[in-house]
Amino acid sequence: MGLSDSSKNPCQKSLSAQILKWASTQCCFFARCFLKFNLRLDFGVGTAGSPLAKKHIEPRGKKGSLPFSELDNVESHLSITIVGASGDLAKKKIFPALFALYYEDCLPKNFIVFGYARTKMTDEELRNMISRTLTCRIDKRENCEDKMDHFLKRCFYHSGLYDSEEHFVELNSKLKEREAGKLSNRLFYLSIPPNIFVDVARCASLGASSENGWTRVIVEKPFGRDSKSSGELTRCLKQYLAEDQIFRIDHYLGKELVENLSVLRFANLIFEPLWSRNCIRNVQLIFSEDFGTEGRGGYFDSYGIIRDIMQNHLLQILALFAMESPVSLDAEDIRNEKVKVLRSMRPLQLEDVVVGQYKGHSKGGKSYPAYTDDPTVPNDSLTPTFAAAALFINNARWDGVPFLMKAGKAIHTKRAEIRVQFRHVPGNLYKRNFGTDLDKATNELVLRVQPDEAIYLKINNKVPGLGMRLDRSDLNLLYRARYPREIPDAYERLLLDAIEGERRLFIRSDELDAAWALFTPLLNELEEKKIVPELYPHGSRGPVGAHYLAAKHNVRWGDLSGEDS
């Protein structure tokens, strides 16, 4: 009797039915366990030892949360809370970025934005405040005013103390009311001073976390002042949040040209064989602003240009530039390669660093103040407003190649760029055509991050005519000419990534530790020895010492030539 004849045997039929019923039950059981486990991970529960797992998910999940079998049929809802909503960053960057995402239909159908701060304010007052800063990045696009009105209607406000769990519980009630029983995903943006990060993380985690969806927290830099304070901040945050819930934001990583860096390198065959010590003479990472502290002197004086720009913005770009090809585009694979670069770097030496501070200057009948003229800055402040440094990576690809960083305020021009200077052509047949200026014979790849985003390659070519006269020309990709549509602001990209759970452009804790390990000994030495910064005039090209530092490593700053000024 074949198996297909089982229906002729009642006992066999009964046994088969029992087996199928048992198998079905067990499969459902394992499926429920698997689903429950994965959902717990997706909610941001973190490790089993996390206080969030113990104090938040288990007790609150039993109270009012939906059975796992019903979650697939429930609509999700996104609640974004901007903590510090009355501050400049929120008004000038975060709210406009959220509106741009809404305009482009990048936000989910069900979403609300809550402002949270100590300032007493009504919903309508918040909307009026936001409307003054929503310049509609898409000025000339249709239905902008209508979209703005719809966006503002989704914005609400709750006033409360940053260290009051009770006030966050009140916020939680308001969020629940708006979420109306939907699957709740919550994003908190901490646009506040770092000394209250932990208080807000504690109150938000214990009082206003999602009960049936994910909870994520964006932390704005600075992440401590040195290795010790950064490590303590991370340790305290992890008492209330798992690592995969913490999104440490560095807005420079959201810049279009920084995003394009890995594409340029790994999607173009011509660059990969050039990307090493064999062809590259030096790499320069340059950041300059044509204004001073302008009202931010009190904040800036406690950090300085090294902490404010070099340890995060420029070092992150350097790691992306120098990393090996990751196994995939997965966030962890990319961040693993960046950490390898940082751990391979030679500790910074004081002799490879120059610090400066801008002084008052008069030009064209106009007077420009010195850094210490700022009433919020001590008259005897030694905080550098300019720094230049030579860094080295001790690995097979980059051994001996100087990576020169330069960052400064009150410099003659505003720019942020990466400049890759290639080695001279061996036995150059046209050496006599360049005379003694070998730098004119240097090919240079420039990635201009801001302003006027561009990628261009400096090459040598013959000037048309009967003689043999050589000229330096640019193979130029100017973004505004090639791509006429507007380029999204960095905050738009990073906010969207945080909403989608994409961590590629956010800084992991071990990455942060490696970055601070490079700079902390130098910062301690500068402060202990009370190194006096070299003065440079407001609006100049920076201190003379930066030129000597470059010359020491046989380099000339690429942004100082007349054609790039």
Side-chain angles (χ1 to χ4, degrees):
M1 179 174 62
L3 290 175
S4 59
D5 297 325
S6 61
S7 58
K8 297 176 184 177
N9 187 333
C11 295
Q12 189 171 356
K13 182 178 180 180
S14 175
L15 180 61
S16 298
Q18 290 179 42
I19 291 172
L20 285 170
K21 184 177 179 180
W22 176 86
S24 174
T25 304
Q26 296 305 310
C27 287
C28 290
F29 170 78
F30 289 122
R32 285 198 303 272
C33 291
F34 180 79
L35 179 59
K36 185 173 181 179
F37 175 75
N38 277 281
L39 283 166
R40 283 171 60 83
L41 287 179
D42 193 44
F43 292 169
V45 178
T47 57
S50 166
L52 181 67
K54 295 175 184 175
K55 297 179 183 177
H56 166 57
I57 293 295
E58 290 176 6
R60 301 189 69 173
K62 295 174 184 175
K63 184 177 67 177
S65 61
L66 294 164
F68 287 102
S69 58
E70 296 178 22
L71 287 173
D72 287 340
N73 301 321
V74 178
E75 274 191 287
S76 64
H77 187 286
L78 174 65
S79 299
I80 303 168
T81 301
I82 300 169
V83 183
S86 57
D88 277 352
L89 178 65
K91 289 187 285 190
K92 294 177 180 177
K93 290 292 185 182
I94 304 171
F95 283 115
L98 287 172
F99 171 63
L101 291 175
Y102 173 69
Y103 187 95
E104 299 288 357
D105 295 324
C106 293
L107 294 180
K109 180 179 70 173
N110 301 311
F111 83 92
I112 54 170
V113 179
F114 253 89
Y116 184 101
R118 290 172 299 192
T119 308
K120 297 293 183 183
M121 202 186 306
T122 64
D123 292 346
E124 200 55 43
E125 286 171 333
L126 175 75
R127 290 165 187 163
N128 289 335
M129 182 191 78
I130 296 171
S131 64
R132 291 194 292 270
T133 60
L134 293 188
T135 53
C136 201
R137 174 172 72 78
I138 325 105
D139 270 333
K140 299 173 184 175
R141 304 270 285 278
E142 59 186 16
N143 301 325
C144 185
E145 292 296 329
D146 291 342
K147 284 266 193 177
M148 192 179 292
D149 289 340
H150 293 153
F151 174 77
L152 290 172
K153 286 175 183 174
R154 293 171 179 253
C155 295
F156 305 93
Y157 186 76
H158 183 70
S159 174
L161 299 176
Y162 295 131
D163 60 351
S164 170
E165 188 179 336
E166 180 185 347
H167 290 168
F168 275 87
V169 170
E170 293 170 4
L171 171 67
N172 182 54
S173 298
K174 288 187 177 181
L175 292 174
K176 277 185 173 182
E177 185 182 330
R178 302 287 174 187
E179 290 161 351
K182 297 181 176 67
L183 181 67
S184 164
N185 295 320
R186 294 183 181 177
L187 178 67
F188 291 86
Y189 195 121
L190 306 194
S191 177
I192 50 177
N195 61 312
I196 51 177
F197 281 169
V198 177
D199 286 335
V200 172
R202 172 179 57 81
C203 295
S205 173
L206 300 177
S209 284
S210 170
E211 295 178 0
N212 56 9
W214 52 253
T215 300
R216 295 171 187 152
V217 176
I218 296 178
V219 183
E220 183 74 38
K221 79 170 186 73
F223 315 117
R225 294 189 78 255
D226 50 26
S227 291
K228 183 178 178 181
S229 58
S230 173
E232 180 66 13
L233 176 61
T234 297
R235 186 188 67 77
C236 291
L237 285 175
K238 286 187 177 180
Q239 289 181 359
Y240 308 103
L241 300 165
E243 173 65 28
D244 61 4
Q245 288 181 278
I246 305 170
F247 286 68
R248 299 174 186 85
I249 194 169
D250 182 341
H251 73 273
Y252 252 73
L253 295 185
K255 297 282 188 183
E256 189 66 38
L257 263 293
V258 177
E259 268 276 78
N260 198 24
L261 187 55
S262 57
V263 177
L264 183 77
R265 180 177 167 193
F266 298 123
N268 294 287
L269 181 62
I270 60 170
F271 288 116
E272 181 54 30
L274 305 179
W275 223 259
S276 74
R277 63 191 299 274
N278 298 323
C279 297
I280 293 177
R281 185 157 62 112
N282 68 83
V283 180
Q284 301 174 21
L285 298 104
I286 299 169
F287 175 96
S288 63
E289 292 177 331
D290 55 1
F291 53 88
T293 51
E294 296 188 353
R296 292 178 67 244
Y299 160 81
F300 184 86
D301 198 65
S302 62
Y303 288 94
I305 198 74
I306 296 177
R307 291 182 177 94
D308 196 41
I309 302 297
M310 295 178 77
Q311 182 273 339
N312 41 71
H313 295 339
L314 296 187
L315 192 61
Q316 285 292 315
I317 294 173
L318 187 156
L320 278 171
F321 178 95
M323 71 180 186
E324 296 298 321
S325 175
V327 174
S328 73
L329 292 176
D330 180 75
E332 295 312 305
D333 289 333
I334 291 173
R335 298 200 290 187
N336 287 342
E337 294 303 331
K338 286 169 65 184
V339 171
K340 287 179 188 177
V341 171
L342 297 175
R343 288 178 174 169
S344 300
M345 295 183 73
R346 189 189 306 172
L348 267 169
Q349 304 296 317
L350 191 58
E351 57 265 27
D352 280 331
V353 176
V354 171
V355 292
Q357 187 185 96
Y358 66 86
K359 62 181 180 179
H361 181 59
S362 296
K363 184 178 181 181
K366 186 175 179 180
S367 295
Y368 298 90
Y371 172 67
T372 50
D373 289 338
D374 187 320
T376 61
V377 173
N379 291 331
D380 59 350
S381 172
L382 299 180
T383 300
T385 61
F386 175 99
L391 299 95
F392 294 86
I393 303 172
N394 292 333
N395 64 19
R397 183 182 290 272
W398 298 112
D399 185 38
V401 176
F403 284 77
L404 268 68
M405 281 186 186
K406 182 169 68 169
K409 287 183 172 294
I411 304 297
H412 74 294
T413 186
K414 179 180 179 178
R415 74 171 75 218
E417 60 188 17
I418 308 163
R419 305 184 78 101
V420 185
Q421 294 186 347
F422 294 94
R423 295 192 180 279
H424 297 140
V425 177
N428 194 335
L429 295 173
Y430 297 97
K431 186 175 180 180
R432 66 183 183 85
N433 296 85
F434 295 110
T436 57
D437 191 357
L438 280 177
D439 283 313
K440 284 187 176 177
T442 301
N443 298 128
E444 188 174 30
L445 175 67
V446 181
L447 287 79
R448 191 192 302 140
V449 178
Q450 69 176 28
D452 298 328
E453 293 87 349
I455 300 172
Y456 57 97
L457 179 64
K458 293 181 175 292
I459 63 163
N460 298 302
N461 65 288
K462 178 183 175 298
V463 176
L466 297 177
M468 178 56 71
R469 188 161 65 90
L470 303 191
D471 183 34
R472 275 229 298 191
S473 301
D474 295 345
L475 298 178
N476 195 348
L477 167 59
L478 184 64
Y479 269 53
R480 69 172 179 230
R482 176 67 179 85
Y483 306 108
R485 67 170 294 162
E486 67 281 340
I487 295 175
D489 183 77
Y491 280 92
E492 295 170 37
R493 184 188 316 280
L494 293 168
L495 277 164
L496 185 60
D497 280 356
I499 291 166
E500 294 179 345
E502 171 57 67
R503 296 174 174 81
R504 184 169 46 95
L505 298 177
F506 294 89
I507 302 166
R508 205 168 61 190
S509 59
D510 58 341
E511 197 177 339
L512 187 60
D513 293 343
W516 274 121
L518 276 173
F519 279 91
T520 295
L522 169 72
L523 290 165
N524 289 342
E525 194 171 1
L526 285 170
E527 290 171 4
E528 288 166 7
K529 293 183 177 179
K530 298 188 184 306
I531 301 296
V532 178
E534 180 185 341
L535 297 178
Y536 62 95
H538 190 300
S540 70
R541 294 174 182 265
V544 175
H547 305 291
Y548 288 112
L549 175 65
K552 173 184 171 182
H553 296 286
N554 197 27
V555 175
R556 189 163 75 175
W557 293 106
D559 63 325
L560 298 182
S561 62
E563 59 200 272
D564 287 306
S565 60

